[in-house]
Amino acid sequence: MSAPTWVEALVAERRSRQRRRTITLALLGAAVFAVYLVSLMWGEVFYGPGEIVRVMRGELVPGASYSVGELRLPRATMGLLAGFAFGVAGVTFQTMLRNQLASPDIIGISAGASAAGVIGIVIFGLSQTAVSIVSLIASLLVAFAIYVLSSRGGFAGTRLILIGIGVAAMLHSVVTYALSQASTWDLPTATRWLTGSLNGATWERLLPLAVTVGTLLPTMVVLGRGLELLRLGDDTAAALGVRVNATRLSLIVCAVILIAVATAACGPIAFVAFLAGPIATRLVSGSLIIPSALVGALIILCSDLAGQYLLGTRYPVGVITGALGAPFLIYLLIRSNRAGSTL
């Protein structure tokens, strides 16, 4: 038998990578489903899978219809969808700018939604729907301002990150000022929302997030090929047929909408957008949109379970993700000083 040619070896290697990717995605999907199911079953009262299914089919199950149907199901579903949104938005910016630090919660996009949301809650007393709208508008304006400022003299990812960090610092001061003006009644609500929490999950609050994720996640999968080519640089991507400016603008708009609506629904859950992409990169090769969405959902669902039941005192999910993400951010900053940083 003759030795395989380099072409056959290349095809075999590609098939092997694709097989590993398929298996990893299947395992990630199974893990997300398992944690989601545990979130529905576990609580002050344990309900089995049969009772969960009966509630989801609309049957009246004493105790479970309220505990699962009105409390646990919206909470777990919000964690799932917010994880999808944060994960996809984070990896989009990180991949496009070729830097793990370029997460929306680092470069000011989440801070724009937070500032608008807090002002809407504590100063204007807006409803949840109105908070979602103003958060979305504020995020788009902040993203547009950062993009324009960083594009002067040619687009540069490092410049965008530095400008974004400065904008985030200014917006955090706005949040602090708004909190200082809050009434005693509104202050706990605004503080809990800023921490990032699933405690206020309701079907009404969930609807805008579900529609946004259901619409934009498939769109981001379609745009994923252009995103992967942008990693190679603008000139190379253009040579391979990518309309660089249009693709970049589409990706930014979709990612900003995802992060804004998710932030409006459950607050700026810290570091999920920051962590999902790098973890997905270490698990699979190729497009990172779906893997990052699954990793983001897994982080939020696991952190919420840990915050509720593992530590004795109940903590919002943002406290747990912040404790996980802060050491990783320090590690990245140290590593980037030594060797530069790319996704």
Side-chain angles (χ1 to χ4, degrees), residues 139-342:
S139 296
L140 288 171
L141 290 175
V142 168
F144 178 74
I146 295 173
Y147 182 80
V148 169
L149 291 173
S150 62
S151 298
R152 299 185 67 178
F155 182 80
T158 304
R159 189 188 307 147
L160 186 147
I161 294 169
L162 293 175
I163 291 174
I165 291 173
V167 171
M170 288 190 293
L171 291 171
H172 285 308
S173 68
V174 173
V175 170
T176 303
Y177 171 77
L179 289 177
S180 70
Q181 302 300 309
S183 65
T184 305
W185 178 261
D186 289 329
L187 187 59
T189 303
T191 304
R192 187 168 53 250
W193 183 79
L194 277 174
T195 305
S197 172
L198 303 179
N199 289 344
T202 61
W203 292 116
E204 180 187 8
R205 181 174 289 191
L206 193 58
L207 182 60
L209 179 61
V211 172
T212 302
V213 172
T215 304
L216 292 187
L217 186 56
T219 304
M220 295 297 278
V221 172
V222 173
L223 293 172
R225 180 180 177 276
L227 177 63
E228 288 302 306
L229 293 178
L230 284 176
R231 294 176 67 177
L232 305 175
D234 289 359
D235 294 338
T236 304
L240 293 172
V242 177
R243 297 171 60 193
V244 173
N245 290 331
T247 302
R248 180 182 290 130
L249 187 60
S250 301
L251 288 166
I252 289 176
V253 170
C254 291
V256 168
I257 293 174
L258 282 171
I259 204 79
V261 176
T263 301
C266 52
I269 300 178
F271 291 118
V272 177
F274 177 66
L275 289 172
I279 293 174
T281 304
R282 284 154 180 78
L283 294 177
V284 298
S285 58
S287 175
L288 296 174
I289 297 295
I290 295 298
S292 298
L294 293 173
V295 172
L298 198 57
I299 291 173
I300 290 186
L301 291 173
C302 289
S303 298
D304 188 47
L305 277 176
Q308 288 189 83
Y309 304 115
L310 294 186
L311 303 176
T313 301
R314 295 194 173 189
Y315 293 99
V317 62
V319 173
I320 307 300
T321 58
L324 293 173
F328 188 68
L329 174 60
I330 295 172
Y331 162 74
L332 276 185
L333 290 172
I334 294 173
R335 202 187 71 164
S336 63
N337 281 337
R338 292 175 180 169
S341 177
T342 58

Side-chain angles (χ1 to χ4, degrees), residues 47-67:
Y47 296 103
E51 293 170 297
I52 301 297
V53 172
R54 289 175 59 195
V55 171
M56 295 179 73
R57 290 169 56 184
E59 296 181 24
L60 180 60
V61 182
S65 290
Y66 177 74
S67 298

